[in-house]
Amino acid sequence: MVDTLGVAVVGFGWMGRVHTQAYARVRHHYPQLPLVPELVTVAEEVPGRAEEAAAQFGFASTTRDWREVAADPRVEAVSITAPNFLHREIGVAMAEAGKHIWIEKPVGLTAEDAGAVADAVAKAGVQATVGFNYRNAPAVEAARELIASGEIGTVTHVRVRLFSDYAAHPEGALTWRYERERGGSGVLGDLASHGADLARHLLGDITSLTADTAIFLPERARPTGATAGHSRASGGELGPVENEDYVSCLLRFASGARGVLEACRVSVGEQNNYGFEVHGTKGAVFWDFRRMNELGISRGTTYQDQSVTTVYVGPGHGEFAAFQPGAANAMGYDDLKVIEAYRFLRSVAEGTPHGATLTDAVHSAAALDAMTRSVRSGAWADVSAGA
């Protein structure tokens, strides 16, 4: 028997649309899922945007106030895709109202924020999934299994990179994303949060780090109206960019491995250049998001001059079989969010977590907080110390 689950989306920018599309597709790929998501309501404060979402996707109702979603008895689960500074308030409120939550990273602006949401979820006994979507790529899951199996030996070091140009244009509007109070730590929350999660997902806990940050575009024009995504604004009043364009840091893991994490939102010539290189005593594994369905793998006993083989992931890797019948058939970004929706709904149906959890979000946020502390002190910072 298949039950319906009333879902709501809070915040209908690009990510709200991605979540909604994932709900629409999830049972096409996972027909065995015992829950059918029903689009009950969408909350968006920008005039007209919620109505457009309802007309396109079939939400039964709309609102400009997310608090109405918390009070709506039809809603059993909520996607929280509003701006970062609202994540803690909305996440806690939805959990306290008994709603399961699928919440985007970073969960608030600090580890304390993420911990507050985690505490509310635990107290309410609801389920929560966090939007660390890159760990859902079948190639990433295959890399994690390869590392855990010992096929590349003992891991010695990793490099994680997240370079993008989404904020590179000097006419990019000065939105909430560039304010410390509402956008938090800039590229740390936007991209390095993914990098910290991937590093920990692959290699285990990060114990300490030292970091450096920079703001390369110190001023931007204020927008004159509502914005979505990374809008342009020219000729308006200039204001200061308050948070980071760039971060680099050295990592130490509990295993003894070392790492480098680097992220930038103003990298001209780089479009979603995300990936990692993990090196071990017997081999290495390489992943590039732009070639999402491939892995570069070096393994054997040659050591010096050892070759690297390209492996195309297929139905035996991660959730690939739910999307394609054979290796080298492409999957894309939106498919990763469908996997995330499946794991969220499975968590609700089974009453046990699947996929990235709020514990993962707290660990990622603790690493970001440590980066901030390290920049201020000029010294190594203990990740486990939290804020």
Side-chain angles (χ1 to χ4, degrees):
M1 180 178 178
V2 177
D3 294 323
T4 59
L5 183 79
V7 301
V9 175
V10 175
F12 207 81
W14 171 68
M15 187 55 70
R17 180 179 295 271
V18 171
H19 275 229
T20 303
Q21 291 170 169
Y23 284 129
R25 292 177 53 198
V26 67
R27 288 200 78 253
H28 297 169
H29 297 278
Y30 297 96
Q32 76 279 16
L33 190 65
L35 288 175
V36 176
E38 179 183 0
L39 300 177
V40 172
T41 190
V42 54
E44 171 56 63
E45 65 177 11
V46 176
R49 192 178 287 173
E51 288 75 15
E52 291 175 5
Q56 181 174 3
F57 293 102
F59 288 96
S61 61
T62 66
T63 179
R64 292 181 63 182
D65 187 351
W66 62 263
R67 294 168 185 81
E68 293 184 5
V69 175
D72 192 334
R74 301 173 300 167
V75 175
E76 299 166 275
V78 181
S79 278
I80 301 172
T81 55
N84 301 349
F85 67 96
L86 294 172
H87 286 188
R88 175 175 180 166
E89 182 182 9
I90 297 174
V92 169
M94 294 302 173
E96 289 178 345
K99 320 291 189 188
H100 306 286
I101 62 173
W102 176 12
I103 187 167
E104 276 304 313
K105 51 87 292 213
V107 180
L109 305 182
T110 64
E112 181 183 356
D113 286 349
V117 179
D119 289 345
V121 164
K123 185 176 181 180
V126 296
Q127 295 297 316
T129 295
V130 180
F132 288 124
N133 42 260
Y134 298 110
R135 60 157 62 193
N136 297 330
V140 172
E141 298 196 58
R144 186 171 187 248
E145 292 179 2
L146 182 75
I147 292 165
S149 73
E151 286 196 54
I152 65 169
T154 300
V155 172
T156 54
H157 61 282
V158 61
R159 184 167 76 100
V160 182
R161 69 186 185 281
L162 299 108
F163 298 144
S164 186
D165 63 357
Y166 65 79
H169 202 290
E171 293 182 359
L174 187 69
T175 63
W176 61 267
R177 193 174 295 277
Y178 303 100
E179 299 174 6
R180 181 71 62 185
E181 184 175 347
R182 297 196 295 166
S185 54
V187 74
L188 277 69
D190 278 358
L191 294 181
S193 57
H194 279 300
D197 179 68
L198 278 174
R200 178 173 171 268
H201 188 57
L202 294 169
L203 272 65
D205 286 346
I206 302 167
T207 57
S208 60
L209 56 81
T210 184
D212 185 32
T213 61
I215 298 173
F216 295 132
L217 294 177
E219 290 187 320
R220 295 180 182 273
R222 300 185 188 280
T224 57
T227 62
H230 306 289
S231 303
R232 303 268 180 88
S234 60
E237 177 188 358
L238 292 178
V241 172
E242 298 174 352
N243 54 27
E244 297 82 353
D245 288 329
Y246 171 86
V247 61
S248 63
C249 63
L250 302 178
L251 309 172
R252 290 175 178 165
F253 294 85
S255 66
R258 298 296 193 263
V260 177
L261 190 160
E262 192 177 14
C264 185
R265 65 188 181 187
V266 297
S267 297
V268 175
E270 301 281 14
Q271 295 86 39
N272 299 326
N273 181 358
Y274 309 152
F276 56 76
E277 299 130 35
V278 180
H279 294 267
T281 54
K282 296 195 299 183
V285 59
F286 310 91
W287 181 70
D288 186 329
F289 170 66
R290 298 164 300 177
R291 303 175 73 90
M292 191 179 86
N293 304 290
E294 301 177 17
L295 278 179
I297 300 176
S298 177
R299 54 189 165 187
T301 58
T302 305
Y303 301 102
Q304 186 177 0
D305 299 327
Q306 186 163 285
S307 63
V308 177
T309 301
T310 297
V311 174
Y312 298 100
V313 295
H317 301 110
E319 296 293 331
F320 188 94
F323 297 85
Q324 298 293 348
N329 285 292
M331 288 177 61
Y333 175 87
D334 284 6
D335 295 331
L336 303 184
K337 301 308 275 191
V338 174
I339 294 170
E340 211 163 85
Y342 163 66
R343 289 174 172 165
F344 173 51
L345 295 170
R346 185 181 171 193
S347 298
V348 173
E350 298 178 7
T352 188
H354 294 279
T357 66
L358 282 164
T359 297
D360 298 312
V362 170
H363 278 280
S364 174
L368 303 188
D369 286 358
M371 292 176 201
T372 301
R373 295 198 308 277
S374 174
V375 170
R376 289 174 182 165
S377 68
W380 284 83
D382 185 351
V383 174
S384 63

